[in-house]
Amino acid sequence: MMHWFEGPLAAFDTETTGVDVEEDRIVSAALVLQDAAGGRLRVTRWLVNPGIPVPPGATEIHGLTDDHLQRNGRWPAPVVEEIARALAEQCATGRPLVVMNAPFDLTLLDRELRRHRASSLAGYLRNKPLCVLDPRVLDKHLDRYRKGRRTLTDLCELYGVTLDGAHDAAADAAASLELVRAVGRRFSARLERLSPAEVHSLQAVWHAAQARGLQAWFEKSGTPEVVDPAWPLRPELPAAA
């Protein structure tokens, strides 16, 4: 019997102008499909002219400059619709979607859809169940007492996953996909009896608990940062009065 973490998976990743999901923009994205562990990867890439300047700090991370995006990127409106339809297609087939730090990428995509298409990610899913596997949440719950950072680079090193070309959307998505397989194998005794849908539901609970713990630590240390417990998508902010 093939366990879910050895079977069909999709993975999604973005590169952006910054880390504010409400204001920053997508500059590149990738969707990676694999029908079984060790199988051929099928990759779809998007390059976006975000319509706003790309801060130097963001360019230093992913290497995408204003000039390159203006010359080679497409306008956001058709791109974000293509991305949303591609994700919805995977959800319709029941293929789990791997997204490292899902509340960032999925919320940012949702805000881009609202900005450019007057719609939302939920609007494109049209009641198709979203089944997300987030290696960061999985690792943090299954190995909660391990010290150290849990970035994609750190987790790939820990689990022996190759990450070639970090901060390229396709490379990061492919590595995240392999990372979920590696986490599944390491903790198979705790995961193999669960369906991907059950793992999705549990991650929402696990992430909320993780957020509460981090929030308590911030408050104790006097840090004003607020941690959002929502997963895999943050709710839309209420409109200003």
Side-chain angles (χ1 to χ4, degrees), residues 1-156:
M1 177 181 175
M2 180 183 289
H3 301 308
W4 60 261
F5 46 82
E6 303 290 0
L9 293 177
F12 175 64
D13 188 72
T14 65
E15 297 300 327
T16 68
T17 59
V19 297
D20 184 341
V21 296
E22 303 297 338
E23 299 296 335
D24 280 304
R25 312 295 174 90
I26 295 172
V27 296
S28 70
L31 179 65
V32 175
L33 309 180
Q34 190 179 47
D35 293 331
R40 180 175 66 90
L41 298 176
R42 305 193 301 279
V43 182
T44 303
R45 296 177 173 86
W46 293 271
L47 191 66
V48 187
N49 178 352
I52 65 171
V54 180
T59 296
E60 287 178 10
I61 292 172
H62 49 58
L64 298 171
T65 65
D66 279 329
D67 181 66
H68 179 75
L69 294 171
Q70 289 169 12
R71 290 175 180 271
N72 301 286
R74 297 166 58 203
W75 288 113
V79 174
V80 295
E81 177 163 12
E82 287 177 17
I83 294 171
R85 291 189 182 279
L87 298 189
E89 181 180 348
Q90 298 310 310
C91 292
T93 65
R95 189 186 295 256
L97 181 65
V98 176
V99 189
M100 175 73 181
N101 192 18
F104 178 79
D105 293 84
L106 295 183
T107 303
L108 189 59
L109 174 60
D110 177 79
R111 302 315 191 250
E112 289 277 59
L113 289 166
R114 295 174 188 273
R115 183 178 295 120
H116 296 291
R117 304 301 303 184
S119 185
S120 65
L121 183 55
Y124 282 88
L125 294 175
R126 297 184 184 277
N127 298 319
K128 301 177 184 74
L130 186 62
C131 181
V132 175
L133 302 170
D134 187 333
R136 186 172 182 271
V137 175
L138 289 171
D139 173 76
K140 196 170 184 179
H141 176 78
L142 295 166
D143 197 0
R144 68 180 70 182
Y145 299 114
R146 189 186 77 250
K147 295 186 181 300
R149 302 191 310 165
R150 298 177 195 258
T151 67
L152 179 60
T153 300
D154 295 316
L155 293 181
C156 285

